[in-house]
Amino acid sequence: QKEVEQNSGPLSVPEGAIASLNCTYSDRGSQSFFWYRQYSGKSPELIMSIYSNGDKEDGRFTAQLNKASQYVSLLIRDSQPSDSATYLCAVNQAGGFKTIFGAGTRLFVKA
Amino acid sequence: KAGVTQTPRYLIKTRGQQVTLSCSPISGHRSVSWYQQTPGQGLQFLFEYFSETQRNKGNFPGRFSGRQFSNSRSEMNVSTLELGDSALYLCASSSGLAGATDTQYFGPGTRLTVL
């Protein structure tokens, strides 16, 4: 079992729709969770971080965390073609000074 | 505030050679982490340094090594290069002081091609 799992996609949504990206993790002691966006040929850039159960909203992005289910998700509302990228879920392991990344989900937003 | 810088941006080497990559973190950040990114394996953690000390390392052979200097700049070295070492090498900086909530910011990466 991989430590952080994501559906590799690709996920294709029409412009204006909601894109839903999911991630599960295996280390129950994990404390911090991050979503990064990576455009082709570029380095990852941070979109959201979440530490507590529930929802966290930032503009068109909402991160959701459920520690009991070991599940993190990212919702992108009003998806735009510029959102087309690979989205990486990352988890900080408890006390380990180590961040584990999922393989990423490729998102395509069709105009 | 300047971001994370990595040099060189592109590198071509042949098998058996060694290579050194450099990373300068965001000013004030004391932690530098290194990752290898390949299409097949995704982002794989190499090691993390804080105040010149390696605090954690991933599952890579001993050919991969790193160090950090007193100004927080970090270098990683790969010796006896293999074709499979061709990858994008990313470094990420963070304060290193926020524990599990520490947030990493990535540099542009060094694209290494081994022929």
Side-chain angles (χ1 to χ4, degrees):
Chain A
Q1 182 193 8
K2 290 186 179 178
E3 293 175 277
V4 178
E5 295 208 51
Q6 295 181 253
N7 187 325
S8 62
L11 174 65
S12 183
V13 301
E15 183 175 359
I18 295 175
S20 177
L21 306 165
N22 305 314
C23 171
T24 58
Y25 59 95
S26 61
D27 182 1
R28 205 167 263 286
S30 298
Q31 299 178 36
S32 306
F33 309 86
F34 306 86
W35 283 100
Y36 287 83
R37 176 175 62 199
Q38 186 173 25
Y39 292 113
S40 181
K42 301 293 186 182
S43 60
E45 58 177 324
L46 180 70
I47 299 174
M48 298 272 294
S49 59
I50 185 165
Y51 313 124
S52 305
N53 280 330
D55 295 358
K56 179 181 178 182
E57 187 174 317
D58 184 359
R60 296 187 295 112
F61 299 95
T62 299
Q64 299 174 317
L65 174 61
N66 183 325
K67 289 187 178 180
S69 300
Q70 296 174 243
Y71 177 88
V72 191
S73 67
L74 179 71
L75 300 178
I76 306 175
R77 290 182 301 281
D78 189 24
S79 295
Q80 301 296 309
S82 59
D83 295 326
S84 297
T86 295
Y87 289 80
L88 302 169
C89 172
V91 176
N92 274 3
Q93 296 192 324
F97 310 113
K98 181 177 178 179
T99 302
I100 305 297
F101 284 79
T105 298
R106 291 196 68 190
L107 172 66
F108 291 102
V109 181
K110 298 173 294 185
Chain B
K1 198 184 254 192
V4 181
T5 59
Q6 291 186 247
T7 57
R9 294 292 312 281
Y10 302 92
L11 210 47
I12 299 175
K13 293 286 188 179
T14 56
R15 280 181 298 176
Q17 288 187 309
Q18 75 163 16
V19 66
T20 299
L21 312 181
S22 179
C23 172
S24 292
I26 292 169
S27 178
H29 282 187
R30 292 163 62 184
S31 170
V32 173
S33 297
W34 288 90
Y35 297 87
Q36 180 194 67
Q37 187 173 36
T38 58
Q41 298 296 319
L43 262 170
Q44 301 287 309
F45 174 78
L46 280 155
F47 24 69
E48 188 262 1
Y49 287 88
F50 175 81
S51 289
E52 303 178 69
T53 299
Q54 185 183 87
R55 295 195 294 190
N56 207 340
K57 64 177 295 187
N59 297 321
F60 278 81
R63 300 186 297 107
F64 292 82
S65 62
R67 59 178 176 168
Q68 187 180 35
F69 302 95
S70 59
N71 62 357
S72 295
R73 189 177 71 86
S74 177
E75 290 181 347
M76 69 162 282
N77 184 78
V78 188
S79 62
T80 320
L81 284 166
E82 300 176 359
L83 294 178
D85 297 333
S86 295
L88 178 66
Y89 289 88
L90 292 159
C91 86
S93 89
S94 64
S95 70
L97 301 172
T101 62
D102 221 15
T103 300
Q104 295 183 59
Y105 300 90
F106 283 87
T110 294
R111 172 74 62 184
L112 172 65
T113 301
V114 182
L115 303 176

